[in-house]
Amino acid sequence: MPEAADRDREKMAAARAAALRVRPGTRVALGTGTTATLAIRAIAERFPHGEGIEAVASSRATEALARSLGWPLRSLEEISSFDLMVDGADEVTERLDVTKGHGGALFREKLLARLTREVVLVVDSSKMVDRLGARAAIPVEVVPFAQPVVRRALVDRGLRPDLRRGPDGRPWLTDNANELLDVRPPAPLADPARLDAELRALPGVVDTGLFVGLVHRVIVGHADGSVEERVAPGKPA
Ligand code: 5RP
């Protein structure tokens, strides 16, 4: 695990490389989190006047950031397909399957990723894992009314769900006014697509933080400013 200062340099290197993929007029979906924030700032530095870039934000936090940078944001009413999404991740495998949602924006992030031609994630080297569930819990967004039922169903499947709480001890709410269960599997996942489908089939589950087959490219930053780009199997380089 890199030291915090190195991790910050790694994130910055990845963020700058992702910003180079944006062109004037790109329709871009903006992710959420500390690394996505660096990438958004790097894009704004490259295109201080917007240059026709049209963006939709994946969270209220990113919306506020984009507005503070003077970016005219669009809604899904106005644009519903994107050339590029730039976002962070919590875990990334060799195949570019990913866990996301520690910032709690997983539903909107996953929706935007499904509408995007090229999903590019920016990460520091600590995020690389052999299997998902190895170091991060899997966030699952649930409708509050159904949360106790979903929680019991997860326990019955041998999973360990923890209700995410805010500093006041109350359930933490997503931008969609839903609750989050942070789910730990008994062992790192051999088949994340199957678990994702099983969880999404439970009534009350809105979505999970498992992104399987949705990501095209991951840019891993190094502390010396260089980056390593990985492309998902079967996706164009
Ligand atoms: C938010 C996310 C974030 O992109 C993910 O948690 C990574 O965040 P960071 O770059 O701060 O480590 O999925 O829902």
Side-chain angles (χ1 to χ4, degrees), residues 55-70:
V56 170
S58 59
S59 63
R60 291 204 189 127
T62 295
E63 215 172 282
L65 168 69
R67 289 199 198 290
S68 77
L69 295 169

Side-chain angles (χ1 to χ4, degrees), residues 7 11 31-38 58-59 86-91 98-107 109 121-124 126-127 135 139 164 172 180 209 211:
R7 209 157 54 228
K11 287 180 181 189
T32 297
T34 56
T35 326
T37 294
L38 293 173
S58 59
S59 63
V86 180
D87 202 353
D90 300 303
E91 292 182 321
V98 163
T99 308
K100 283 184 51 56
H102 280 238
L106 64 103
F107 170 72
E109 290 170 335
L121 300 186
V122 282
V123 296
D124 62 80
S126 73
K127 304 290 178 68
R135 66 185 283 275
R164 195 179 295 187
W172 187 85
L180 274 181
F211 286 48

Side-chain angles (χ1 to χ4, degrees), residues 67-110:
R67 289 199 198 290
S68 77
L69 295 169
W71 229 335
L73 283 174
R74 302 272 182 248
S75 69
L76 289 180
E77 205 76 67
E78 296 164 292
I79 331 178
S80 53
S81 68
F82 301 90
D83 305 302
L84 183 72
M85 179 164 187
V86 180
D87 202 353
D90 300 303
E91 292 182 321
V92 179
T93 67
E94 197 65 39
R95 295 181 49 79
L96 306 196
D97 294 334
V98 163
T99 308
K100 283 184 51 56
H102 280 238
L106 64 103
F107 170 72
R108 295 189 188 191
E109 290 170 335
K110 207 162 168 181

Side-chain angles (χ1 to χ4, degrees), residues 148-171:
V149 180
V150 173
R151 193 155 35 86
R152 279 193 291 274
L154 298 179
V155 171
D156 289 347
R157 283 170 170 72
L159 300 161
R160 276 191 295 134
D162 273 325
L163 180 61
R164 195 179 295 187
R165 293 181 187 276
D168 58 2
R170 294 184 186 197

